[in-house]
Amino acid sequence: MLCRLSLRWLRPLPALRLGALGPQLAPVLTGGMRRSALPVWAASSVSAVAPGGAGGWYEALATSAPVQGAEALLLCAHTATGLPWWGSILLTTMALRGAVTLPLAAYQHYILAKVENLQPEIKNIARHLNQEVAVRANQLGWSKRVARLTYLKILRRLVSELYIRDNCHPFKATVLVWIQIPMWIFMSVALRNFSTGAAHSEAGFSVQEQLATGGVLWFPDLTALDSTWILPVSVGVINLLIVEMFALQKIGMSRFQTYITYFVRAVSVLMIPIAATVPSSIALYWLCSSFMGLSQNLLLRSPRFRQLCRIPLTKSDSHTPYKDLFAALHAKFSSRK
């Protein structure tokens, strides 16, 4: 079923002055709609400013074609399945993760495995090249700087030729990031539009009203914050588990990789208070997305699944990946006690 959306924007917020409390504005709702349980800043629409204004970029994002597509996808899933909104959000997230990010994650592992298998050949080339450049430097009287630059220039060219030969340039492994992050943003903004009343179904029924009664368990209102912090904390914990899984895979990380790991850990912790300030619909989507990411990472450790995806074997592969992972996690956290 094709579902079209007609977007109705909320009135702009007045600017807040230093030292003064912002006025407690209720969102401008259609007749008979309940007041939102969100704080003013979260429930209000982005200010309608000039294209170069402070809120212009978010307004452009919230009305963009990808966000409208995400809204249409959510509405179609809800209409086609007849599930409550919490179920529609979970189903849509699982479908997107399974149909889009899982194949890309398998492709990422495929590229990284081929790159890893090239490392012995690259080290052998580097060793011989270093000797040849040293001989030539003595013959021509090159300085150490010139010899070093010549060595690096030739090595980069030879390594690039190896990547082309095996069709495994490391940049191809980043395709997952360039697809997953925008998809995550578009879905989050679409759910925010629904939760704040900025989008309505074509039939005239308010999606915000449906979300207000479309929750389950301790979050029956998907437009309200999760006052128990169960969803936000769960998001942070699962993201930290994913980071630790990747960190345990890397043996002898470089300084840059170590800094990146600490940065992602900090972002995972920061996501907890952020998830506590957004509607439960968004926090639920983040939790489901993170859980699917954790599940995909575990699945991609399976030797049978890797063989099914034709991911090349590497020296770092284990025949008992889950047992090794549990032992590594237990050793890491028990050593801190």
Side-chain angles (χ1 to χ4, degrees):
M1 178 183 297
L2 295 178
C3 301
R4 295 180 301 172
L5 298 176
S6 59
L7 301 179
R8 182 178 303 173
W9 290 101
L10 305 180
R11 294 175 184 170
L13 280 174
L16 298 179
R17 298 180 179 178
L18 294 176
L21 284 175
Q24 300 299 311
L25 296 178
V28 181
L29 307 174
T30 56
M33 187 177 299
R34 62 188 300 277
R35 291 180 178 270
S36 173
L38 296 176
V40 173
W41 70 268
S44 303
S45 174
V46 177
S47 300
V49 294
W57 67 269
Y58 185 87
E59 183 183 4
L61 173 63
T63 57
S64 63
V67 172
Q68 292 182 9
E71 293 173 356
L73 178 63
L74 287 165
L75 278 174
C76 286
H78 178 67
T79 303
T81 62
L83 292 172
W85 267 106
W86 67 268
S88 299
I89 293 172
L90 294 183
L91 179 63
T92 305
T93 307
M94 293 172 62
L96 287 175
R97 278 288 196 165
V100 179
T101 61
L102 179 58
L104 291 177
Y107 179 71
Q108 180 187 58
H109 281 250
Y110 171 82
I111 294 296
L112 294 177
K114 297 185 74 172
V115 170
E116 182 178 344
N117 289 335
L118 277 178
Q119 295 311 305
E121 188 174 354
I122 292 175
K123 290 180 180 179
N124 186 46
I125 291 175
R127 183 174 65 255
H128 286 87
L129 178 62
N130 189 38
Q131 295 173 356
E132 292 180 7
V133 170
V135 171
R136 183 59 61 90
N138 288 332
Q139 293 176 347
L140 301 179
W142 290 349
S143 65
K144 290 184 178 180
R145 181 176 179 276
V146 172
R148 181 65 177 173
L149 291 176
T150 303
Y151 165 78
L152 293 176
K153 181 179 179 180
I154 297 176
L155 182 61
R156 280 196 297 266
R157 179 175 58 82
L158 294 175
V159 171
S160 179
E161 290 176 357
L162 289 179
Y163 291 153
I164 294 174
R165 184 196 71 186
D166 289 3
N167 192 23
C168 63
H169 196 285
F171 183 77
K172 292 183 177 181
T174 66
V175 173
L176 173 63
V177 176
W178 299 115
I179 298 297
Q180 181 174 323
I181 292 180
M183 184 174 69
W184 183 86
I185 292 174
F186 297 147
M187 288 290 292
S188 299
V189 176
L191 286 169
R192 184 188 182 277
N193 287 345
F194 285 164
S195 300
T196 59
H200 300 266
S201 65
E202 191 176 64
F205 296 103
S206 169
V207 180
Q208 186 187 35
E209 287 184 325
Q210 297 174 12
L211 286 174
T213 58
V216 69
L217 299 176
W218 68 91
F219 53 99
D221 185 354
L222 290 175
T223 67
L225 311 181
D226 180 11
S227 58
T228 66
W229 280 58
I230 295 178
L231 291 176
V233 171
S234 299
V235 170
V237 169
I238 293 179
N239 286 335
L240 282 174
L241 280 175
I242 296 174
V243 174
E244 295 307 320
M245 284 175 53
F246 274 108
L248 291 173
Q249 274 185 309
K250 302 293 183 181
I251 300 176
M253 289 193 300
S254 65
R255 181 177 298 180
F256 176 75
Q257 290 175 326
T258 302
Y259 289 154
I260 291 296
T261 301
Y262 279 116
F263 172 76
V264 178
R265 283 173 180 156
V267 171
S268 299
V269 174
L270 185 62
M271 283 298 295
I272 296 177
I274 293 177
T277 59
V278 298
S280 296
S281 59
I282 300 178
L284 177 63
Y285 165 67
W286 290 355
L287 176 60
C288 184
S289 180
S290 297
F291 181 79
M292 289 297 296
L294 178 63
S295 301
Q296 288 179 7
N297 287 327
L298 291 173
L299 180 62
L300 285 167
R301 287 174 174 264
S302 169
R304 290 186 178 181
F305 186 77
R306 293 175 69 87
Q307 184 179 7
L308 179 64
C309 296
R310 298 183 180 181
I311 299 174
L313 290 173
T314 65
K315 289 184 177 180
S316 62
D317 286 346
S318 170
H319 295 293
T320 57
Y322 303 117
K323 182 179 179 181
D324 297 342
L325 176 62
F326 178 78
L329 287 172
H330 182 267
K332 180 174 184 177
F333 291 107
S334 63
S335 63
R336 296 180 178 180
K337 296 180 180 179

